[in-house]
Amino acid sequence: MEELRFSDGTVEAVVLPEVGARLHRLRAYGHDLLRTPEDVHEHVRDPFSWGAYVMAPWCNRIEAGPVLLGSRLIALGSNFPDGSAIHGQVYARPWDRREDGSLAVRGGGDGWPWTYEVGMRIEVV
């Protein structure tokens, strides 16, 4: 799995673009600041317990199944043991690297009625 590393010598960030552009590791002065698994593939097996990730197009929980939001019907499937749809759609999807060094993903569908794009740029300075 590809690991993108950003560091200034004292702070290091490791991002996994193939797994939701997830922040696998954030280390400062030799100390991990996130719950970081030894094996990066653990993010695939258990995506909600490790690191940090973008929650889009929603964060927290939405009731799975048909939910009316304004005038639009959202019909999301459950992705969590409590039966809810949790933390959006992009936490485990592959993100694209752009020429300017940023990461991006397009989404929509899968029960979410609007298309969207999420972008992220990471710098350690």
Side-chain angles (χ1 to χ4, degrees):
M1 184 175 311
E2 181 181 21
E3 297 180 20
L4 301 179
R5 294 180 183 279
F6 304 87
S7 180
D8 70 354
T10 58
V11 174
E12 176 190 36
V14 179
V15 176
L16 308 174
E18 297 168 54
V19 190
R22 172 178 305 268
L23 188 56
H24 164 65
R25 166 165 279 134
L26 182 59
R27 182 178 282 167
Y29 303 97
H31 300 282
D32 281 322
L33 303 177
L34 298 174
R35 189 165 179 244
T36 304
E38 292 298 321
D39 178 2
V40 295
H41 294 93
E42 190 64 30
H43 294 292
V44 176
R45 291 186 286 275
D46 187 5
F48 301 121
S49 295
W50 308 98
Y53 46 89
V54 174
M55 298 178 211
W58 73 90
C59 63
N60 211 333
R61 292 171 168 81
I62 295 179
E63 185 177 333
V67 174
L68 191 60
L69 181 61
S71 63
R72 302 296 289 265
L73 187 64
I74 299 172
L76 301 169
S78 171
N79 64 346
F80 202 69
D82 69 0
S84 65
I86 191 170
H87 298 332
Q89 297 177 317
V90 301
Y91 62 87
R93 288 188 182 169
W95 287 43
D96 297 319
R97 279 203 288 168
R98 297 204 166 148
E99 288 183 20
D100 66 359
S102 65
L103 297 163
V105 63
R106 294 186 58 79
D110 298 328
W112 189 258
W114 302 279
T115 58
Y116 58 92
E117 182 172 315
V118 181
M120 176 171 57
R121 177 183 313 280
I122 296 177
E123 295 181 38
V124 176
V125 293

